Amino acid sequence: MSTRHSATITARAGIAQDPAYGSVTPPLYLTSTYELKAFKQPGKYDYSRSNNPTRDLLGDALAELEGGAKGLVTSTGMSACVLALQLLTPADTLVIPHDCYGGSYRLFTNLANRKQAFKVVIVNFQQDNWAELIADAKPKMIWLETPSNPLLQITDIKAVCELAKTLAALVVVDNTFLSPVLQQPLQLGADIVVHSTTKYLNGHSDIVGGALITKDQATGDELKWWANCLGLTGGAFDAHLVLRGIRTLLPRMRAHLENTTLIVNFLQQQKLVAKTYYPGLKDHPGHAIAKAQQNGFGAMVSFDLAADEAYLPVFFNALQCFTLAQSLGGIESLICHPGTMTHASMDAAAQKAAGMGPTLIRLSVGIEDGRDLLADLAQAFAAVEQAMLADGVTLVSTATAAVTTSAPAATTSNAAVPAAQSQQEFRLNPALAAFW
């Protein structure tokens, strides 16, 4: 385990490690293959699917950041998930959270149901009897996402890991939402950490990639074999960009957190916000656990719009600083509607079970000037309020939310396309067929 601090590890990721010419910043090795020294004398590198110097520098940096033994860089965040699942057999059981990321949920359930690659048990880790449910499942692997996506629910990593030891189960934690500078699951007892490097680690929304870090060398070596065998390894250019990205990870996260604090406080005062989901709030059910196991509360925040879902287009169309888009963790602020975007692969029943309502909105807070972000949200809320008043919808402000009284907004004249019709048209879009 490294004795260096996160700021030093990130700032010096790949720095002054060039064995050829001594360049301070690491060179980019775009080669696909490597020359053998002589017949039957391969060097450390022979083919870039198996090994690449640029990719190895990133893997080493991430392993040091997470306090792990081995870091493996994959082509996407989902391929990092697929890689971890190679430790399971059809006889094994995987426990997953009921509110995991939609893409992960799709992967786990379809591999279990369509390929019989393993058995899957879905557990609500927010229930009091979560430990009993897991013990009854007798899992080989327990998968955690904390904070969860998109409701920012918190799971006690240390408690789950202590239970896992008694069950001889592996614990995998998706640490994408916080990055290694805000949470280190391996230090809390986890066996494997996965990341979508697309998000905070890269931070600039210009690559797609993933990573997997193991606590012990043996597991890392086994998964490296599988990564090469299945062709899941990431490209050198993407690794080069992530290396560059993590050098500014700490100052970026500080700016993200500063803006998020401003926005959370702002949302708490809005009559068109029915509920704010953020573990930094003292009344959040997981606040105490998050405070104990995290080094910050993160830059993701979600809220329920206190209006009919037909007014969602009004809200989104009014925004100028927040971009309506998938993904998160870039320096730019993004906004999304999880039900039709990041979690569209979950059917209505699964979304409801996860606690996702039709007007749930998720923010990825960027590093723009916080005053501009607040002004942008304020004018979007104002646009919704104006549209509601034009439709004869009366807003009744309460201490915690806004209550609307009128006929359903879907029947009004000025609201957006009726919700049911809009949702049907969305699902018929051939460009989105892969989601379902």
Side-chain angles (χ1 to χ4, degrees), residues 338-340 343-357 423 427:
T340 57
H343 290 66
S345 58
M346 297 174 71
D347 60 29
Q351 289 189 17
K352 184 177 181 180
M356 294 168 48
Q423 178 71 358
R427 285 186 167 268

Side-chain angles (χ1 to χ4, degrees), residues 80-375:
C81 296
V82 171
L83 182 56
L85 297 175
Q86 301 313 305
L87 298 174
L88 299 177
T89 71
D92 294 328
T93 296
L94 169 69
V95 166
I96 65 172
H98 76 299
D99 57 349
C100 62
Y101 163 57
S104 300
Y105 178 90
R106 175 179 55 200
L107 174 70
F108 301 145
T109 55
N110 279 283
L111 283 179
N113 298 331
R114 297 171 63 179
K115 295 294 185 180
Q116 288 78 52
F118 45 78
K119 303 169 188 174
V120 68
V121 172
I122 302 173
V123 171
N124 182 347
F125 285 85
Q126 310 307 313
Q127 293 181 185
D128 292 337
N129 65 336
W130 63 265
E132 180 181 345
L133 294 173
I134 293 176
D136 290 344
K138 297 180 175 59
K140 171 68 178 296
M141 179 180 289
I142 303 170
W143 197 282
L144 301 182
E145 291 183 21
T146 180
S148 68
N149 182 5
L151 293 177
L152 289 306
Q153 297 188 107
I154 303 298
T155 301
D156 190 331
I157 297 175
K158 188 174 182 180
V160 174
C161 292
E162 289 175 350
L163 172 64
K165 288 181 181 178
T166 68
L167 303 172
L170 297 170
V171 176
V172 182
V173 180
D174 186 333
N175 202 25
T176 297
F177 262 35
L178 292 178
S179 87
V181 303
L182 296 185
Q183 182 172 263
Q184 293 186 313
L186 298 182
Q187 309 312 309
L188 297 169
D191 301 285
I192 298 172
V193 170
V194 297
H195 283 279
S196 169
T197 59
T198 311
K199 314 305 192 298
Y200 289 106
L201 291 173
N202 178 56
H204 293 78
S205 301
D206 54 7
I207 67 101
V208 173
L212 183 152
I213 300 95
T214 63
K215 176 182 286 187
D216 65 82
Q217 186 68 40
T219 303
D221 290 342
E222 180 178 357
L223 290 177
K224 181 179 180 180
W225 185 90
W226 277 111
N228 178 58
C229 177
L230 296 174
L232 301 178
T233 50
F237 186 71
D238 290 346
H240 181 73
L241 290 182
V242 177
L243 265 174
R244 184 187 63 176
I246 63 175
R247 293 187 201 117
T248 61
L249 179 59
L250 259 75
R252 281 192 286 110
M253 290 307 299
R254 292 191 189 104
H256 284 298
L257 295 176
E258 181 179 345
N259 280 344
T260 304
T261 298
L262 293 174
I263 287 175
V264 170
N265 291 337
F266 171 81
L267 293 174
Q268 289 287 90
Q269 306 302 317
Q270 299 307 303
K271 58 185 176 182
L272 278 175
V273 173
K275 183 176 182 179
T276 303
Y277 303 88
Y278 186 65
L281 294 171
K282 291 184 178 179
D283 61 353
H284 187 285
H287 175 75
I289 296 173
K291 190 174 182 180
Q293 71 185 17
Q294 300 172 196
N295 297 317
F297 295 111
M300 301 298 299
V301 56
S302 297
F303 65 91
D304 290 316
L305 185 68
D308 190 275
E309 60 184 303
Y311 290 100
L312 287 172
V314 177
F315 184 82
F316 291 132
N317 290 340
L319 294 168
Q320 297 178 1
C321 287
F322 282 87
T323 300
L324 181 63
Q326 307 272 2
S327 200
L328 58 102
I331 57 175
E332 72 288 345
S333 291
L334 300 178
I335 190 168
C336 86
H337 180 249
T340 57
M341 295 172 69
T342 58
H343 290 66
S345 58
M346 297 174 71
D347 60 29
Q351 289 189 17
K352 184 177 181 180
M356 294 168 48
T359 61
L360 179 69
I361 294 172
R362 191 192 75 181
L363 304 178
S364 173
V365 181
I367 66 171
E368 302 93 340
D369 191 299
R371 294 168 295 185
D372 293 330
L373 296 178
L374 294 180

Side-chain angles (χ1 to χ4, degrees), residues 37-111:
K37 296 178 181 179
F39 180 61
K40 293 187 177 180
Q41 294 185 32
K44 180 179 180 181
Y45 298 97
D46 60 354
Y47 190 63
S48 276
R49 171 167 44 81
S50 306
N51 293 286
N52 177 277
T54 308
R55 188 170 65 233
D56 287 351
L57 282 177
L58 176 58
D60 292 344
L62 294 177
E64 187 177 9
L65 268 175
E66 287 284 8
K70 187 81 171 178
L72 304 173
V73 177
T74 61
S75 56
T76 67
M78 292 311 303
S79 60
C81 296
V82 171
L83 182 56
L85 297 175
Q86 301 313 305
L87 298 174
L88 299 177
T89 71
D92 294 328
T93 296
L94 169 69
V95 166
I96 65 172
H98 76 299
D99 57 349
C100 62
Y101 163 57
S104 300
Y105 178 90
R106 175 179 55 200
L107 174 70
F108 301 145
T109 55
N110 279 283
L111 283 179

